[in-house]
Amino acid sequence: MLPDGSFAGRVSIVTGGSSGIGEGIATELARLGSDVVIVARRQEALDAAVARLAVHGTRIGTYAADVRDRDRVEEVVADVVATYGRIDHLVNSAAGNFQANPEDLSQNAWRAVVGIVLDGTWNFTQTVGQHLIQRGEGGSILNIGTTAALIGGPSTVHSTAAKAGVLAMTKSLGAAWAQHGIRVNVMTPGPTEDTGAMTFLFGEEGQWEEQVAAIPLKRMLTRQEAADASAYLLSDYAAYVTGHNLVIDGGRSLGRAGGVFSG
Ligand code: HXC
């Protein structure tokens, strides 16, 4: 964990911040002193998350928005700047996924997932990037990856392809925006406890055990561990790190291709 106050005076946006890894990161940033704005589709989920997040004395804001809706994204970013005065950090954690045979995916299903993961990440990243460049004080952006983008995901080709695009976007922007003092990185988690990915994707009996069996360190990642790695990449302790992909998967992706955890 980073020292208390590492994000004092900062303003952070976390998409997908009402649940899962996004909520874990939002909680950690608030604990470290940042005002945190969480974005998700359902206001009820956001309200429930605020009760859990607002215990560290920093401001917690919510915006109901679909990351695929560019106009709404621009509206949210403009309102955050107007309300909080600045944005320092963006975490793109909003995601959508389900398992399907590639040959059975409808065009709509492909578009839904690629739209959320790739377009949604781009919509927030470009809009916040424009603000950061205009303000001229730098900042840092974090995207969430998946090990499937490195080794393939036979049952989630839509999500895997989109996350691979996010990885390439990250490296491209890491180079492009370094001149503006903006760092862009990816945190790639393996199977993580208390997340939609695990309950939603692998909720059937025996699937968790199957996942753990394929992990050399023989347990899942905790949300706190994912949040700690994320906070590091966003923080000034990683001031010389950009375009990087920090894989934190207990060795899951070492020398393996395919398998059940292919999400
Ligand atoms: C097959 C499905 C499906 C399912 C949706 N579709 N769910 N097909 N199996 N389980 C199809 C629909 O039939 C439809 O195609 C198309 O996808 C769009 O579905 P909608 O429900 O209309 O879209 P939308 O409301 O935008 O929902 C987006 C979603 C949904 C991604 C499809 O599942 C969602 O909102 N999920 C959010 C929660 C989530 O996914 N959490 C896990 C993230 S894990 P047709 O042709 O019928 O119109 C993650 C980690 C990645 O991302 C890697 C680690 C594993």
Side-chain angles (χ1 to χ4, degrees):
M1 284 187 190
L2 298 184
D4 290 352
S6 295
F7 285 78
R10 307 281 178 89
V11 178
S12 308
I13 296 179
V14 183
T15 74
S18 63
S19 62
I21 287 174
E23 185 188 0
I25 296 170
T27 305
E28 183 62 11
L29 295 180
R31 192 188 72 74
L32 293 169
S34 181
D35 288 341
V36 179
V37 168
I38 54 175
V39 179
R41 272 183 286 176
R42 292 187 307 112
Q43 188 62 49
E44 316 85 73
L46 288 163
D47 292 341
V50 168
R52 299 188 290 269
L53 279 165
V55 295
H56 300 292
T58 66
R59 289 190 289 178
I60 307 296
T62 66
Y63 290 86
D66 188 323
V67 296
R68 290 170 285 192
D69 181 345
R70 177 65 181 232
D71 290 344
R72 178 66 180 140
V73 169
E74 290 180 7
E75 197 176 86
V76 168
V77 171
D79 201 73
V80 172
V81 173
T83 305
Y84 295 81
R86 60 190 288 136
I87 298 168
D88 299 284
H89 305 292
L90 168 67
V91 179
N92 288 299
S93 189
N97 201 1
F98 53 82
Q99 295 200 69
N101 293 322
E103 61 274 24
D104 297 331
L105 267 182
S106 72
Q107 203 174 349
N108 196 32
W110 171 272
R111 275 263 33 104
V113 170
V114 174
I116 294 169
V117 176
L118 186 57
D119 299 352
T121 297
W122 174 245
N123 285 338
F124 258 101
T125 298
Q126 190 187 32
T127 309
V128 169
Q130 288 165 348
H131 161 73
L132 293 175
I133 290 168
Q134 195 208 349
R135 204 186 72 211
E137 294 175 31
S140 62
I141 296 172
L142 181 73
N143 297 321
I144 308 302
T146 172
T147 49
L150 310 175
I151 63 175
S155 63
T156 53
V157 64
H158 43 354
S159 160
T160 299
K163 291 282 193 183
V166 168
L167 186 54
M169 186 196 305
T170 303
K171 291 173 187 285
S172 305
L173 294 177
W177 287 352
Q179 62 181 314
H180 302 293
I182 302 168
R183 296 183 299 102
V184 191
N185 290 293
V186 174
M187 189 280 294
T188 289
T192 309
E193 293 175 359
D194 301 326
T195 60
M198 294 319 296
T199 51
F200 188 70
L201 280 181
F202 301 109
E204 285 171 28
E205 188 158 351
Q207 287 189 319
W208 272 62
E209 291 75 6
E210 213 174 328
Q211 295 303 315
V212 171
I215 301 169
L217 284 177
K218 295 297 170 213
R219 67 171 176 83
M220 291 202 184
L221 180 66
T222 68
R223 288 206 321 186
Q224 185 62 48
E225 287 170 325
D228 289 342
S230 300
Y232 161 70
L233 287 172
L234 286 165
S235 78
D236 295 346
Y237 294 93
Y240 203 56
V241 180
T242 196
H244 183 66
N245 180 26
L246 177 54
V247 178
I248 172 166
D249 70 346
R252 171 69 181 82
S253 59
L254 294 174
R256 298 185 64 90
V260 175
F261 185 74
S262 50

